[in-house]
Amino acid sequence: MMLDLICSISIEENFVTTLNYVHHISASQRVRRLSIQSNKVDHATLGADVSMRQVRSVVVFANQVNVLPALPSFRVLRVLELECNKNSPDCCRLIRKSGSFQYLILTLYGFKEIPEEMGNLRFLQVLWVKNFGGNSFISSPSTVFQFLTDLKFLKIPEMVNEIGSLTCLEELDVHVTNDNSSENIMEELGRLTELRVLSIWFRIKRNKRWEKSVVECLCKLTKLRSLQMGWFDYKLNLDGWATPRHLHRFDTRLSWCLSKLPAWMEHSSLLVNLSFISIWLTKLQQEDLENLGRLPALRILHLVAPHQRPGFVFGACSFPSLVDCRLERLTAEPLAFPVVFQEGSMPRLERLEFEVHVWETREIASGCGGLEFGLGNLPSLQHVVVSLEAKGASKEEVTEVEAALEHATEIHPNHPTLDLHLYGVLDGSR
């Protein structure tokens, strides 16, 4: 019903013209944004007398649409999103004849490399290439990026050596898969000094020279505001990175772990804009938690860390701006990950998610303020999510922890919602 309402208003306001097996275009209709949603659309559906001179945006949801050969007649077309099949020449022919695109999203099926014709799009500012079928990583001809000097946003399946010529680039999302050229790629990446947002994923073998080249590259990107990195099967040390003052997002959650909390996170006075941190650490100390707690602008924290005894304490005045906190454990070993929130900690926290092991948490928490972990000391709390590991615990012990958490939320002034998740096998002998 809502979709029908949106489509109806869109037609009335002439915001988007939708073409499918139901809708057609009249000769008098002025089309500015065109959405083609069926592979049954053809020239007859468009209408022989319809002028497409006003069309600025075309989104094609159907593969191998018959209308594609007519698209070059759209003289002011600036935005195009379509799918290209390797067995259909229409896509490449279209790109070859249309050099005025500024925004292009291209979904490729069965291609081994990015079509060379994209090198003709010299006014292109936004390029997003998706690849399906066969290898998810495809190569790029050396000529593709040679003339795309106005490009500001680029998202492609695999990094290319010619990336250093895109000196206007502000946002990049890419994978690095070639071990032999990874260091050269990082050197070229360091030339993109206008980068504000970088999402980069490494599927290569680790070596000291490569790790050094990564740090050297990041040090050159002085305008960086958001960094999302991923790597696999090894640890990484980013201590040598001199982070920009305006960095506001640091995300390595979906990668393998950092060897330790980066040393630059200790300098809270230099990280006045850092508001989002998501990391996976091999080791977390209480002092690391205290360093994070001094970051003045930190609003979202997602921390994956190993279990520690006797657990972590969030002290008074720590995390003054935090509104969302998620704490996860590193392994499935039957160890506790208890947390205690002292009065004055996290004054703005609204959402809290953490994990505990029932059996050992009961013993540890008994000396740290009880099983409710000090939730009453979080004055802005609205939502609590707790994962309970039941392995080694009896049903009665699980019930006790659940009851304590439920009681803590019931007596809290805000009455926050409580979402409990129980996993693991109860110990029937206890």
Side-chain angles (χ1 to χ4, degrees):
M1 185 172 63
M2 288 302 301
L3 177 60
D4 290 341
L5 176 61
I6 292 170
C7 292
S8 175
I9 296 175
S10 178
I11 293 173
E12 291 177 6
E13 300 292 335
N14 196 28
F15 182 72
V16 176
T17 301
T18 302
L19 282 182
N20 50 37
Y21 58 90
V22 175
H23 297 93
H24 300 266
I25 299 178
S26 64
S28 61
Q29 189 171 351
R30 299 184 64 181
V31 180
R32 295 177 183 267
R33 304 172 188 89
L34 181 61
S35 174
I36 303 175
Q37 301 180 2
S38 171
N39 57 9
K40 295 181 180 180
V41 174
D42 54 19
H43 296 287
T45 312
L46 282 171
D49 299 326
V50 176
S51 174
M52 293 296 168
R53 294 181 180 180
Q54 301 296 322
V55 176
R56 288 166 169 78
S57 173
V58 175
V59 178
V60 183
F61 289 95
N63 193 18
Q64 296 181 321
V65 177
N66 297 328
V67 78
L68 280 179
L71 285 177
S73 63
F74 297 14
R75 298 181 181 179
V76 294
L77 190 63
R78 295 293 180 266
V79 178
L80 177 65
E81 179 175 352
L82 77 162
E83 301 174 348
C84 291
N85 191 292
K86 180 183 178 182
N87 299 322
S88 175
D90 293 340
C91 175
C92 297
R93 185 188 305 124
L94 168 65
I95 294 174
R96 187 186 306 118
K97 294 182 179 180
S98 304
S100 59
F101 293 146
Q102 293 179 351
Y103 186 110
L104 175 61
I105 296 181
L106 198 59
T107 302
L108 304 176
Y109 289 89
F111 281 73
K112 293 184 179 180
E113 66 177 15
I114 294 176
E116 190 173 0
E117 286 80 1
M118 283 202 303
N120 298 331
L121 306 179
R122 304 193 180 190
F123 299 101
L124 201 62
Q125 295 184 13
V126 175
L127 174 60
W128 184 356
V129 179
K130 310 174 189 179
N131 187 53
F132 293 93
N135 188 0
S136 60
F137 301 105
I138 58 177
S139 61
S140 304
S142 59
T143 57
V144 167
F145 298 101
Q146 185 176 355
F147 301 107
L148 302 183
T149 54
D150 289 339
L151 208 60
K152 293 185 177 180
F153 174 97
L154 176 62
K155 185 173 182 178
I156 53 176
E158 185 171 1
M159 183 75 90
V160 293
N161 285 320
E162 298 77 20
I163 202 79
S165 61
L166 307 178
T167 53
C168 292
L169 206 62
E170 296 181 4
E171 186 167 348
L172 176 63
D173 189 325
V174 74
H175 288 74
V176 178
T177 61
N178 192 330
D179 293 298
N180 298 327
S181 62
S182 60
E183 294 175 35
N184 293 334
I185 287 176
M186 297 310 299
E187 183 178 349
E188 293 219 4
L189 184 60
R191 299 174 187 172
L192 307 181
T193 55
E194 295 297 316
L195 271 183
R196 266 71 166 175
V197 179
L198 175 60
S199 298
I200 188 165
W201 308 91
F202 297 98
R203 295 179 180 271
I204 60 176
K205 297 178 181 178
R206 176 184 179 273
N207 61 74
K208 286 294 183 180
R209 291 178 56 187
W210 167 78
E211 186 174 293
K212 181 180 178 181
S213 67
V214 171
V215 173
E216 291 176 349
C217 168
L218 292 178
C219 288
K220 296 176 183 177
L221 305 180
T222 57
K223 297 184 179 181
L224 207 60
R225 295 177 180 272
S226 174
L227 175 63
Q228 185 176 24
M229 293 180 64
W231 58 91
F232 304 90
D233 298 330
Y234 47 79
K235 302 172 186 177
L236 187 63
N237 189 326
L238 295 177
D239 280 352
W241 181 28
T243 53
R245 281 186 67 90
H246 35 257
L247 185 72
H248 72 83
R249 181 185 180 96
F250 179 73
D251 187 352
T252 64
R253 174 182 75 256
L254 299 179
S255 62
W256 196 242
C257 42
L258 285 167
S259 54
K260 60 178 181 178
L261 191 72
W264 47 267
M265 284 192 180
E266 300 176 8
H267 306 290
S268 56
S269 60
L270 301 178
L271 300 171
V272 294
N273 295 306
L274 189 57
S275 61
F276 181 104
I277 295 178
S278 180
I279 50 178
W280 184 354
L281 300 173
T282 58
K283 188 176 183 180
L284 179 69
Q285 303 290 346
Q286 178 65 37
E287 60 180 340
D288 296 328
L289 203 61
E290 294 170 0
N291 288 329
L292 290 172
R294 284 192 284 267
L295 295 173
L298 187 61
R299 292 177 57 82
I300 299 176
L301 174 64
H302 183 185
L303 183 61
V304 184
H307 305 287
Q308 299 286 332
R309 296 191 184 190
F312 294 112
V313 176
F314 291 82
C317 301
S318 63
F319 299 95
S321 300
L322 200 67
V323 296
D324 192 321
C325 181
R326 181 178 178 184
L327 306 171
E328 292 187 56
R329 55 186 183 176
L330 183 64
T331 67
E333 294 298 324
L335 297 175
F337 187 79
V339 289
V340 177
F341 304 97
Q342 294 183 346
E343 185 175 1
S345 65
M346 301 185 176
R348 298 183 181 180
L349 189 71
E350 298 178 2
R351 185 182 187 279
L352 173 64
E353 181 174 349
F354 62 100
E355 301 181 3
V356 295
H357 187 282
V358 173
W359 182 24
E360 296 199 4
T361 295
R362 289 177 68 260
E363 178 183 351
I364 297 173
S366 61
C368 301
L371 290 171
E372 72 277 4
F373 308 107
L375 297 182
N377 294 326
L378 305 176
S380 301
L381 196 61
Q382 301 292 334
H383 308 284
V384 181
V385 180
V386 183
S387 297
L388 299 176
E389 167 60 73
K391 185 177 181 180
S394 66
K395 183 177 180 179
E396 291 75 17
E397 290 169 334
V398 171
T399 301
E400 181 183 354
V401 173
E402 290 177 336
L405 290 169
E406 290 172 355
H407 178 69
T409 55
E410 288 172 358
I411 64 174
H412 194 285
N414 299 335
H415 303 295
T417 61
L418 176 62
D419 191 1
L420 292 174
H421 299 275
L422 184 66
Y423 61 97
V425 180
L426 291 170
D427 187 353
S429 64
R430 293 177 56 82

